[in-house]
Amino acid sequence: MSRTFDTSSPTTTSTDEAKIHYLFQLADNALIMGQRLCEWTGVAPELEIDLALCNIALDHLGQANAWYEYLVEIYPQATDVDQLAFCRDEHQYYNITLVELPNGDFAQTIAKMALFSIFNYYLHDALRQCSDARIAAIAARSYKEIQYHRRYASNWLLRLGDGTDISHERMQKALDIVWDHAFEAFTPSPADHIMHQQGIAPDLEQIKALWEDEVHQLLHKATLSIPDTGFTGYRAKSDGVHTEHMGYLLAEMQYMQRRYPNLQW
Amino acid sequence: MEHTTSIDLEKRFEEKIARELKIEPKDWMPEEYRRMLIRQISQHAHSEVIGMLPEKNWLTRAPTLRRKMALLAKIQDEAGHGLYLYSAVETLGVSREQLYRDFLDGKAKYSNIFNYPALTWADIGVIGWLVDGAAIVNQVSLQRTSFGPYARAMVRICKEENFHQRQGYSICLTLARGSAEQRQMLQDAINRWWWPVLMMFGPPDAESKHSQKSMKWKIKRASNDTLRQKFIDQTVPQLEYLGMKAPDPHLKWNPERGHYDYGPIDWEEFWNVIRGKGPCNKERLRTKRVAYEEGQWVRDAAIAYAKEYN
Ligand SMILES: [Fe+2]
Ligand SMILES: [Fe+2]
Ligand SMILES: [Fe+2]
């Protein structure tokens, strides 16, 4: 059986297709977030941070794995987890662009992690109570981990924002760099929309309100200002149109599966 | 009131060692014993930390999600071992900060093995199987070392190292049962790692300058050559099970000795790598130094924040 991956069209019409697309959104967010965090291994500012970032990366890879396993069960085109994780083309990944942005310095990684994990926290809080038992179960397990990611990133954001002049400046700059990409989380994809109608996914407007509340308070406490919002039209999670960074990330991540297709590892 | 003289203290120390009792951080110990321990445990800690780098080289390219997670978990364990060993050595009255700076300045040693490159995915299997395997042989013997915190660290660490070794062997086994290309990849990795791994046990007993005193004080519990032989004896059957070969034409079972004979080790290579002239010495240290320097502002910010709010 071919392990390359074909999808006719990313436009979702039926409920089944919407659910599959929605699961890809969740899985790909976790996978790409985890992949980026792996890059920190061995070069973090101190050994304790190394350990924590490994731990958080591992949580994300585990979450991705759980979502892909579910996809393998319900998606006729899927053969196994690794086909889904490694054998798709760039436009078939539906993560939000925020998670694929480069790590940058530690401040930028923290900015990404804070904005993402606060969103992820409210999203999973809603999903763990949703009507789809399987989604609820995976979300409930992930929720506990995401609580920790949110706390870890928020604590560092506070320390860096309100630490020294240098760290303050770096933290502010980092937020400016990643800020616009966060809003993609709240722009409903067709799948978000249908899943919300089905009573599974939450209303992203509500999640956005919770997110803004928390992020604004956090930035205020960290003596940081809210960046100006620029382009908010990123929609990789809807149609797989990514930033320029994604191709390099995939080239690295998919190297083995591309170079040696159809083998066991 | 009774006066304890330094002679009494030394006698008490030697007695404890003789009776296989553990020396604890608050106990009196000869300065040289303390120095030897600081050197050995900190070298061990640095090795755990720098050993993350060759494996990291394949973390972002791991071929499957399961392997990626297992490798990440292994690397996380190694970071934990580093932290654990740094705390053990701090009980001897040195600061981790100072030790780490010495390491970055090239004043402290770490295991030679991490100065070799991890070039293919098969290297990740072979590192887990052979490098962690060799570390286990050494560390199992150190579970009986005379310094309490070090012995206890070894007990805890060995459990995880066993897991790493099984994981590494599982990668090797999958490659051995795979395509011709995969088997070739595995054999190539074994060829490159075999001799450096045998060197991990250190120079031959006759040339090992720290060994005698270290054995007398029971810091070290078995000689370099003994441990090396033990490793070879247990590894050759695993190698054969994979259907792979060691790059050593002299490797042969010797029924009279009840051990495998092996060919001469290139000790010149060993001493060169020790002196900083291995393929990755400069690069590994530079990577850690740059990371440390680039992280300075983060550590400064954490300290400033803690001062203001704690
Ligand atoms: Fe965790
Ligand atoms: Fe270790
Ligand atoms: Fe290990």
Side-chain angles (χ1 to χ4, degrees):
Chain A
M1 191 187 301
S2 167
R3 282 165 54 83
T4 53
F5 194 89
D6 308 304
T7 45
S8 39
S9 154
T11 14
T12 42
T13 44
S14 75
T15 312
D16 285 352
E17 280 173 20
K19 181 167 168 181
I20 285 161
H21 189 108
Y22 190 72
L23 290 172
F24 271 123
Q25 288 179 209
L26 293 165
D28 294 345
N29 273 346
L31 176 67
I32 303 303
M33 189 74 187
Q35 172 73 9
R36 276 294 187 218
L37 287 173
C38 283
E39 296 172 16
W40 269 109
T41 304
V43 294
E46 61 187 9
L47 198 47
E48 284 82 353
I49 298 177
D50 243 314
L51 201 66
L53 295 182
C54 279
N55 186 12
I56 295 171
L58 201 49
D59 285 345
H60 282 99
L61 296 180
Q63 290 171 19
N65 190 59
W67 295 121
Y68 289 132
E69 275 176 350
Y70 186 27
L71 272 164
V72 169
E73 288 169 31
I74 64 169
Y75 189 24
Q77 290 201 52
T79 57
D80 57 80
V81 163
D82 295 313
Q83 175 216 27
L84 298 181
F86 297 98
C87 301
R88 282 177 293 154
D89 283 330
E90 180 172 329
H91 68 276
Q92 295 165 326
Y93 284 83
Y94 301 125
N95 56 279
I96 59 172
T97 53
L98 176 67
V99 298
E100 75 201 39
L101 296 178
N103 286 332
D105 64 0
F106 186 63
Q108 189 167 322
T109 296
I110 289 300
K112 276 176 67 177
M113 196 196 290
L115 299 185
F116 177 67
S117 64
I118 292 170
F119 155 71
N120 222 19
Y121 168 77
Y122 289 115
L123 176 66
H124 283 73
D125 189 22
L127 288 178
R128 72 196 173 119
Q129 302 160 57
C130 81
S131 58
D132 183 305
R134 187 66 184 278
I135 291 179
I138 299 173
R141 201 157 13 102
S142 310
Y143 175 76
K144 288 189 195 125
E145 297 170 345
I146 295 164
Q147 270 184 314
Y148 163 67
H149 309 161
R150 164 175 167 257
R151 194 170 61 236
Y152 186 81
S154 301
N155 284 343
W156 268 112
L157 196 139
L158 275 179
R159 279 188 210 117
L160 297 181
D162 197 10
T164 63
D165 289 347
I166 295 172
S167 71
H168 176 86
E169 195 184 315
R170 280 195 186 236
M171 196 60 239
Q172 186 67 58
K173 212 178 265 173
L175 278 168
D176 293 343
I177 292 171
V178 306
W179 183 255
D180 291 352
H181 295 270
F183 293 92
E184 183 181 357
F186 311 112
T187 313
S189 66
D192 283 329
H193 190 70
I194 295 169
M195 292 301 275
H196 176 53
Q197 283 177 336
Q198 296 297 312
I200 295 173
D203 177 3
L204 286 176
E205 276 303 312
Q206 278 175 25
I207 303 283
K208 185 182 183 183
L210 292 164
W211 181 88
E212 276 180 335
D213 244 21
E214 182 165 331
V215 168
H216 291 182
Q217 274 184 45
L218 178 65
L219 295 192
H220 179 75
K221 206 172 158 201
T223 71
L224 294 159
S225 44
I226 299 164
D228 291 332
T229 306
F231 181 73
T232 53
Y234 298 106
R235 32 185 299 119
K237 73 167 172 180
S238 300
D239 53 22
V241 176
H242 290 268
T243 63
E244 289 180 343
H245 306 291
M246 187 65 168
Y248 293 95
L249 182 149
L250 292 181
E252 188 172 347
M253 188 177 78
Q254 298 182 336
Y255 166 69
M256 292 295 285
Q257 291 284 355
R258 295 267 184 219
R259 171 64 184 79
Y260 307 98
N262 305 314
L263 293 178
Q264 297 297 309
W265 297 98
Chain B
M1 187 175 151
E2 225 185 311
H3 287 274
T4 7
T5 66
S6 64
I7 296 170
D8 293 336
L9 288 167
E10 194 155 353
K11 215 168 127 191
R12 205 176 296 164
F13 171 83
E14 300 282 359
E15 264 171 29
K16 267 194 175 168
I17 298 278
R19 292 170 54 207
E20 295 283 328
L21 294 174
K22 297 288 179 229
I23 308 298
E24 295 299 332
K26 290 209 169 69
D27 296 343
W28 183 90
M29 61 186 84
E31 269 318 296
E32 200 185 349
Y33 178 83
R34 185 185 300 273
R35 269 202 309 278
M36 286 171 76
L37 278 171
I38 291 172
R39 191 177 56 92
Q40 180 164 341
I41 303 172
S42 61
Q43 278 179 15
H44 194 158
H46 305 326
S47 302
E48 299 280 359
V49 167
I50 212 154
M52 295 163 75
L53 294 178
E55 298 190 302
K56 180 257 184 92
N57 192 42
W58 282 92
L59 183 56
T60 50
R61 291 180 292 172
T64 72
L65 200 47
R66 189 170 68 95
R67 293 290 188 207
K68 193 194 282 286
M69 288 192 282
L71 180 58
L72 181 51
K74 176 187 194 290
I75 298 175
Q76 189 188 0
D77 286 346
E78 309 300 7
H81 297 170
L83 277 179
Y84 199 48
L85 287 163
Y86 282 125
S87 339
V89 74
E90 279 193 314
T91 64
L92 290 161
V94 279
S95 80
R96 170 179 148 195
E97 178 77 14
Q98 186 54 50
L99 294 168
Y100 197 69
R101 279 174 193 274
D102 287 349
F103 159 65
L104 293 180
D105 291 343
K107 287 186 213 152
K109 301 270 178 265
Y110 55 87
S111 178
N112 257 5
I113 197 72
F114 302 118
N115 291 315
Y116 291 85
L119 300 178
T120 69
W121 173 249
D123 289 44
I124 297 306
V126 170
I127 289 173
W129 168 40
L130 295 182
V131 174
D132 286 69
I136 291 166
V137 169
N138 189 30
Q139 290 169 16
V140 162
S141 118
L142 287 172
Q143 290 177 352
R144 293 169 51 241
T145 192
S146 54
F147 185 56
Y150 194 29
R152 289 189 289 274
M154 286 303 106
V155 173
R156 188 165 137 180
I157 287 173
C158 274
K159 280 189 200 134
E160 292 178 349
E161 300 294 4
N162 276 314
F163 194 69
H164 300 165
Q165 195 198 17
R166 275 207 297 280
Q167 213 169 274
Y169 196 68
S170 149
I171 293 175
C172 294
L173 205 51
T174 308
L175 295 174
R177 290 173 179 166
S179 69
E181 222 171 355
Q182 285 174 306
R183 280 195 297 280
Q184 179 53 43
M185 194 188 278
L186 176 60
Q187 183 62 62
D188 165 68
I190 292 169
N191 292 347
R192 283 181 289 107
W193 288 93
W194 181 260
W195 292 110
V197 164
L198 295 190
M199 294 176 201
M200 281 175 72
F201 297 96
D205 295 347
E207 291 170 35
S208 180
K209 65 170 179 180
H210 299 294
S211 270
Q212 272 190 347
K213 199 120 208 201
S214 179
M215 294 276 280
K216 178 186 154 231
W217 277 335
K218 295 184 181 169
I219 296 175
K220 230 172 126 76
R221 302 307 312 254
S223 81
N224 295 352
D225 287 331
T226 309
L227 293 171
R228 186 166 18 246
Q229 185 70 61
K230 192 174 170 205
F231 171 76
I232 292 172
D233 290 348
Q234 77 179 36
T235 301
V236 174
Q238 297 166 0
L239 186 69
E240 284 168 354
Y241 188 72
L242 292 173
M244 295 287 137
K245 287 195 167 56
D248 178 0
H250 299 97
L251 189 67
K252 206 172 71 218
W253 179 251
N254 181 333
E256 280 162 37
R257 291 205 308 128
H259 291 294
Y260 282 91
D261 289 338
Y262 54 97
I265 293 174
D266 179 2
W267 291 110
E268 202 176 303
E269 174 178 328
F270 173 81
W271 292 115
N272 268 329
V273 182
I274 288 258
R275 289 186 202 108
K277 296 179 182 182
C280 300
N281 292 60
K282 284 187 182 170
E283 190 179 342
R284 297 275 188 253
L285 265 189
R286 197 184 325 122
T287 302
K288 296 306 280 185
R289 208 176 295 135
V290 167
Y292 186 79
E293 283 161 10
E294 283 182 356
Q296 188 64 51
W297 68 273
V298 176
R299 298 189 299 275
D300 289 346
I303 291 167
Y305 186 86
K307 256 187 205 149
E308 194 171 339
Y309 292 97
N310 287 349

